[in-house]
């Protein structure tokens, strides 16, 4: 065992010396692998960052959450003219499901309404997103408060004139002053500020909660009415843990069909949208992006591998005489083989580490220029980069190394003279 370790050590030292003595050749070899690893890890990091940002921007909602409305998240076989006839979900249906739907942790009724202006004294914020929701929404979407509280069930049911401000709205209207207990005006009415949401940051798709306000849904019902097709009511349901999703949806659909009096054989006049299905769709898209990126980056690695193989053949040619002398002095084939293999692997790994360093620098710079979008270089991607570069070095160096180890010592000395 000690003999093998000594052979490995001597082979490693020999490879390092060979690389030091041929700096230009080493640099050119490193360049090819560096570009390849930079490409492949850059693509993986970009796709991972994009996937994380997409999932973070969609919502804090749990994947088990179900949204019922007259629109579908995805493709549907129901023709458009038919969908236009579907009624909106209603507050009464929210109350019915809350009382009668089993295995449900929470149900919230929300209304998507147009952006509005909000005013405090002489300061006005325009284009403010309005979340008209019932009190359960706070727990379902796991909202975080910087200060104050969310409205409770009593305030939700009675439609009390209370409001929770997004971080940006609070800063615009009140600056460094505490907004709690202060009054703002919206819809020609006065609202008392009872809470401020924690800062979320920019969202990939826009619509950050920082630029939103939340108020009891029954206020929006008074403003817009229950039969306004210009707003978008929806029911948000969160099943209890460990509930069979398909069975739960079947019960939900039957309950709602019974409430609406839909006859057997008629299609549902509502859509049950699952966030899990949308999350799977996002995973599929990012998986395809990863695959395309890997294929493109693979060509760069292929070029780098050919570069290492070519330079290793040249190295074998130049050191033919030295190989003959080593073998005549008793060097085994394994020693010669390891010597050239280590040289190729070291070249590739160093090139890979340089490539990883470049990806890290570019990710830092990109994160600075793109604001809240953060590029992530995960430990798994770093491991992949190092492992791939080592494999590229092994594959690229094995044929030159084998050819070197099989040289006849007499012929090698004669050829090198």
């Amino acid at each position: 065992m000690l003999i093998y370790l000594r052979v490995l050590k001597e082979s490693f030292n020999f490879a390092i010396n060979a690389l030091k003595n041929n700096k230009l050749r080493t640099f050119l070899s490193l360049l090819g692998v560096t570009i390849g690893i930079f490409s492949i890890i850059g693509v993986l990091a970009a796709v991972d960052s994009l996937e994380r940002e997409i999932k973070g921007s969609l919502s804090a909602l749990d994947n088990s959450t179900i949204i019922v409305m007259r629109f579908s998240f995805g493709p549907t076989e129901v023709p458009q003219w038919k969908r236009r006839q579907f009624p909106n979900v209603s507050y009464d249906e929210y109350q019915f499901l809350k009382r009668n739907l089993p295995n449900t942790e929470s149900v919230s009724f929300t209304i998507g309404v147009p952006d509005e202006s909000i005013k405090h004294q002489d300061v006005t914020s325009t284009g403010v997103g309005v979340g008209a929701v019932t009190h359960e929404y706070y727990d379902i979407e796991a909202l975080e408060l910087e200060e104050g509280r969310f409205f409770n069930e009593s305030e939700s049911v009675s439609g009390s004139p209370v409001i929770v401000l997004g971080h940006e709205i609070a800063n615009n209207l009140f600056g460094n002053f505490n907004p709690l207990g202060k009054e703002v005006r919206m819809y020609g009415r006065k609202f008392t500020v009872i809470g401020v949401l924690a800062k979320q940051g920019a969202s990939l798709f826009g619509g950050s909660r920082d630029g939103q306000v939340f108020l009891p849904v029954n206020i929006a019902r008074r403003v817009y009415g229950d039969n306004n097709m210009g707003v978008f009511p929806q029911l948000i349901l969160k099943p209890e843990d460990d509930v069979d999703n398909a069975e739960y949806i079947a019960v939900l659909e039957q309950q709602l069909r019974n409430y609406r009096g839909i006859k057997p054989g008629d299609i549902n006049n509502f859509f049950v949208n699952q966030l899990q299905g949308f999350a799977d769709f996002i995973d599929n898209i990012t998986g395809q992006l990863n695959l395309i990126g890997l294929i493109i980056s693979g060509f760069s690695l292929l070029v780098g591998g050919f570069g290492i193989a070519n330079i290793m053949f040249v190295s074998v040619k130049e050191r033919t005489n030295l190989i003959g002398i080593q073998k005549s002095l008793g060097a085994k084939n394994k020693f010669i083989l390891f010597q050239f293999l280590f040289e190729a692997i070291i070249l590739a790994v160093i090139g890979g580490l340089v490539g990883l360093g470049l990806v890290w620098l570019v990710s830092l710079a990109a994160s600075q220029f793109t604001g809240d979008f953060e590029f992530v270089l995960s430990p798994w991607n770093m491991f992949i980069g190092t492992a791939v570069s080592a494999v590229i070095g092994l594959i690229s160096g094995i044929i030159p190394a084998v050819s070197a180890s099989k040289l006849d010592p007499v012929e090698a000395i004669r050829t090198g003279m």
Side-chain angles (χ1 to χ4, degrees):
M1 185 65 182
L2 291 176
I3 295 177
Y4 283 105
L5 291 176
R6 185 177 177 183
V7 168
L8 289 173
K9 180 182 177 182
E10 291 179 358
S11 300
F12 181 81
N13 291 334
F14 214 99
I16 291 293
N17 290 330
L19 295 177
K20 288 180 179 178
N21 294 333
N22 297 279
K23 293 183 176 62
L24 179 60
R25 179 189 302 164
T26 301
F27 171 76
L28 293 175
S29 299
L30 290 177
L31 190 61
V33 178
T34 296
I35 293 173
I37 295 299
F38 174 81
S39 300
I40 194 169
I41 303 305
V43 168
L44 290 175
V47 173
D48 283 352
S49 303
L50 181 63
E51 181 178 11
R52 192 179 77 161
E53 185 68 16
I54 289 173
K55 290 185 176 179
S57 298
L58 289 174
S59 179
L61 293 172
D62 189 89
N63 279 343
S64 64
T65 303
I66 293 167
I67 299 177
V68 181
M69 58 194 307
R70 65 186 180 96
F71 299 105
S72 174
F73 282 179
T76 174
E77 296 180 357
V78 182
Q80 187 174 6
W81 66 268
K82 190 84 171 175
R83 297 198 302 270
R84 286 178 178 173
Q85 297 176 356
F86 287 180
N88 278 323
V89 294
S90 67
Y91 187 79
D92 290 338
E93 289 170 337
Y94 148 73
Q95 293 180 310
F96 170 77
L97 291 176
K98 188 176 178 179
R99 290 191 305 266
N100 297 285
L101 186 62
N103 302 316
T104 301
E105 184 175 314
S106 271
V107 183
S108 177
F109 180 69
T110 74
I111 300 179
V113 299
D115 291 351
E116 191 57 54
S117 295
I118 185 170
K119 184 176 182 179
H120 172 69
Q121 296 179 351
D122 297 330
V123 182
T124 301
S125 284
T126 59
V128 177
V130 179
V133 302
T134 55
H135 65 284
E136 298 95 346
Y137 187 82
Y138 175 76
D139 293 321
I140 292 177
E141 193 161 349
L143 297 177
E144 294 183 21
L145 288 168
E146 185 176 272
E147 50 189 342
R149 63 180 179 84
F150 207 72
F151 44 85
N152 56 37
E153 183 175 5
S154 175
E155 292 165 329
S156 176
V157 172
S158 64
S160 299
V162 293
I163 195 168
V164 177
L165 305 180
H167 188 273
E168 182 183 334
I169 303 301
N171 281 344
N172 290 345
L173 295 179
F174 297 95
N176 295 324
F177 294 99
N178 186 353
L180 298 184
K182 303 295 191 303
E183 289 186 340
V184 295
R185 291 189 68 87
M186 192 169 65
Y187 299 127
R189 307 171 184 218
K190 290 182 179 179
F191 293 83
T192 302
V193 178
I194 61 171
V196 177
L197 295 176
K199 185 177 181 180
Q200 179 189 21
S203 169
L204 186 65
F205 301 109
S208 168
R209 295 192 198 103
D210 294 342
Q212 286 186 312
V213 298
F214 290 91
L215 48 82
V217 74
N218 281 335
I219 293 177
R221 290 178 65 210
R222 293 183 197 137
V223 173
Y224 292 97
D226 284 330
N227 300 311
N228 191 329
M229 298 304 284
V231 298
F232 305 100
Q234 53 187 343
L235 296 169
I236 304 177
L237 303 98
K238 185 176 182 182
E240 293 177 348
D241 295 337
D242 303 323
V243 171
D244 183 86
N245 211 39
E247 184 177 337
Y248 179 83
I249 290 174
V251 174
L252 165 62
E253 289 181 341
Q254 191 58 52
Q255 292 268 22
L256 204 48
R257 285 177 63 88
N258 291 341
Y259 186 86
R260 292 191 172 188
I262 300 175
K263 297 177 182 178
D266 289 349
I267 65 169
N268 293 338
N269 59 1
F270 57 88
F271 288 103
V272 177
N273 299 291
Q274 295 179 258
L275 287 188
Q276 180 60 54
F278 197 66
D280 292 342
F281 173 75
I282 295 297
D283 289 339
N284 183 47
I285 294 296
T286 53
Q288 291 179 8
L289 288 175
N290 263 327
L291 179 60
I292 293 171
L294 288 173
I295 291 173
I296 295 173
S297 302
F299 287 107
S300 298
L301 281 176
L302 192 62
V303 172
F306 282 140
I308 291 178
N310 184 51
I311 289 175
M312 292 307 300
F313 275 118
V314 173
S315 182
V316 171
K317 183 70 175 176
E318 287 182 347
R319 285 148 56 187
T320 299
N321 184 48
L322 183 58
I323 294 169
I325 294 173
Q326 288 176 330
K327 298 191 78 171
S328 66
L329 294 176
K332 302 292 185 181
N333 288 352
K334 290 181 180 178
F335 176 80
I336 305 299
L337 177 69
F338 286 139
Q339 176 183 316
F340 285 95
L341 270 184
F342 279 157
E343 186 173 337
I345 292 173
I346 291 168
L347 269 174
V349 169
I350 293 174
L353 293 176
V354 173
L356 285 173
L358 288 176
V359 173
W360 179 71
L361 292 174
V362 170
S363 66
L364 287 180
S367 296
Q368 293 295 323
F369 283 109
T370 54
D372 291 301
F373 185 86
E374 183 182 359
F375 284 86
V376 180
L377 181 59
S378 67
W380 174 247
N381 285 340
M382 295 175 68
F383 170 76
I384 289 176
T386 306
V388 168
S389 57
V391 170
I392 290 296
L394 180 65
I395 295 173
S396 303
I398 194 158
I399 296 178
V402 169
S403 64
S405 67
K406 290 184 177 180
L407 286 174
D408 180 83
V410 177
E411 289 296 326
I413 293 173
R414 183 184 302 164
T415 303
M417 295 179 61

